[in-house]
Amino acid sequence: FFHQIQELEGIPVINVHIWFDRKLRPYDGLVFSRSPLLSVYADMSECCEEYASGDASMLELVFAPCSKEAGSDVNWIGKSDEEIVQATLGELERLFPDEIAADGSKAKVVKHAVVKTPRSVYAAVPGRNKFRPSQNTPVANFTLAGDFTYQKFLGSMEGAVLSGKLAAEVVADKMAGREAKPVKEVVARYR
């Protein structure tokens, strides 16, 4: 059962956090990007109490794909933080030319942080879904949760949340004496 998880190849993701000296056009929530480098982003000063500010924006961006395995032409995971921030600012300048200039002539970067996660999510490539394990396992009193488990979403926060809900259902069913969802059949070569 657990050996099949080895077929789920982890790929890297980079998170970029940039604090600006002024407020950018407000977006309250997660924004999907049309950028080839920045898949999603949020202005944390609008949607997160810890970063709330009426005067300055703090963007948190997902820089992906960031490796050749994930579909990028550039191995960004091997680049310096400065190179990643400059590429991010270049994309932001293209997306928001009235507010951001990579040369710093508009909104200025106060500070930044780059977080590289080498095996952040599994590669969503054809044929891999069958290797995702169920929340119910063949080990008594052991239930799995995580975006890599079998559920309708890919590797994402939504997938992690749904997986947690499905795992809780397995536990609740067992505790109530109901039959839990079955353990997902193991791929033939791992039986």
Side-chain angles (χ1 to χ4, degrees):
F1 179 84
F2 297 102
H3 290 291
Q4 66 186 348
I5 295 172
Q6 295 172 18
E7 296 293 329
L8 301 176
E9 181 183 349
I11 57 172
V13 170
I14 298 172
N15 290 291
V16 182
H17 310 261
I18 303 177
W19 286 260
F20 289 96
D21 66 344
R22 65 189 74 174
K23 193 71 171 172
L24 302 174
R25 185 177 329 147
Y27 294 99
D28 186 8
L30 185 68
V31 179
F32 289 90
S33 172
R34 62 187 187 276
S35 164
L37 289 180
L38 308 172
S39 57
V40 295
Y41 61 91
D43 184 342
M44 301 304 281
S45 70
E46 289 291 319
C47 59
C48 187
E49 189 175 319
E50 296 87 49
Y51 297 104
S53 172
D55 301 322
S57 287
M58 185 279 213
L59 295 186
E60 186 168 314
L61 309 108
V62 176
F63 192 106
C66 60
S67 70
K68 294 189 187 275
E69 308 87 53
S72 176
D73 293 336
V74 177
N75 180 21
W76 289 104
I77 202 83
K79 299 284 187 183
S80 71
D81 289 359
E82 287 301 324
E83 290 172 300
I84 292 166
V85 169
Q86 284 308 309
T88 301
L89 290 172
E91 284 299 299
L92 290 173
E93 177 180 42
R94 192 176 67 74
L95 295 169
F96 307 105
D98 296 338
E99 299 181 274
I100 297 173
D103 67 4
S105 61
K106 296 182 181 173
K108 301 207 181 336
V109 174
V110 175
K111 67 179 180 176
H112 62 78
V114 175
V115 179
K116 298 176 182 178
T117 309
R119 291 177 54 105
S120 177
V121 295
Y122 68 89
V125 295
R128 293 289 162 234
N129 211 32
K130 64 186 172 198
F131 297 111
R132 295 169 74 183
S134 56
Q135 288 74 32
N136 197 0
T137 73
V139 178
N141 298 318
F142 186 74
T143 306
L144 288 177
D147 66 355
F148 66 94
T149 62
Y150 193 75
Q151 36 78 26
K152 67 182 179 179
F153 298 117
L154 299 175
S156 63
M157 292 301 292
E158 296 81 4
V161 169
L162 179 56
S163 173
K165 179 183 177 294
L166 295 172
E169 288 175 5
V170 168
V171 172
D173 285 345
K174 287 180 179 181
M175 294 300 294
R178 296 185 298 262
E179 187 172 331
K181 290 181 182 167
V183 173
K184 187 173 160 250
E185 187 173 327
V186 177
V187 174
R189 73 173 181 242
Y190 288 102
R191 286 189 202 138

